[in-house]
Amino acid sequence: MAHARGRRAARIEPALPPPAAGTRVSFHLYVPAAYAQPGGRRYPVVYWLHGSGGGVPGILPLSRLVDAAIEAGQVPPMLVVFVNGLRMGMYVDWKSGTVPMETVIVRDLVGHIDATYRTIAAREGRLLDGFSMGGYGAARLGFKFPELFGAVS
């Protein structure tokens, strides 16, 4: 969906049928305007983990902030994956086995993003960031899987 000055906002990508979850898992994806330019450039990816209660209302404002930072030259163009962490998913595999959140992210979602989009498909091209529950998830996953994520914020 487009927004001010022709920049691109986050869009929903509901087509991830990860084997770990046994069902489709949605996520939102911010794609910078530079992505549409020819040349095959590869982009770093920030995995944004929202806080408890859900993160959908914050996606558009955060996308606008990323746009502004890119336009100001404060950060390079990047993809931002807004992970669906559920209302209280905690970014862990639930003991009951009903919600394999950690596994979906590290085994399915990262691979799907790297295979589907022009990413820097190495730990140096991936960053985890989050707020509240998402900050916990970012720290936990980033330190548990340093081979996948080059930075944690």
Side-chain angles (χ1 to χ4, degrees):
M1 93 181 90
H3 62 84
R5 292 183 291 204
R7 293 175 287 163
R8 301 186 76 168
R11 62 182 186 221
I12 191 163
E13 297 287 344
L16 174 63
T23 186
R24 288 169 125 15
V25 174
S26 67
F27 61 94
H28 290 77
L29 179 68
Y30 166 84
V31 180
Y35 192 87
Q37 297 173 357
R41 177 181 177 178
R42 300 223 165 248
Y43 294 87
V45 181
V46 173
Y47 288 85
W48 170 257
L49 309 183
H50 65 74
S52 61
V56 174
I59 292 172
L60 188 56
L62 283 171
S63 296
R64 288 181 175 146
L65 288 173
V66 172
D67 266 342
I70 291 169
E71 285 182 9
Q74 297 170 326
V75 298
M78 67 184 81
L79 300 176
V80 181
V81 177
F82 295 93
V83 177
N84 180 353
L86 305 177
R87 292 183 53 79
M88 292 296 292
M90 296 304 294
Y91 303 101
V92 300
D93 289 346
W94 289 14
K95 186 176 181 178
S96 66
T98 58
V99 180
M101 185 64 60
E102 174 185 304
T103 302
V104 166
I105 294 168
V106 301
R107 191 180 80 193
D108 300 327
L109 184 58
V110 170
H112 174 76
I113 296 297
D114 286 343
T116 307
Y117 301 95
R118 294 190 321 268
T119 68
I120 299 171
R123 72 179 297 277
E124 295 77 18
R126 296 187 201 104
L127 177 136
L128 278 166
D129 195 6
F131 172 76
S132 188
M133 176 182 80
Y136 164 79
R140 187 178 168 284
L141 295 175
F143 292 117
K144 185 173 181 181
F145 298 98
E147 71 281 5
L148 284 179
F149 303 103
V152 176
S153 173

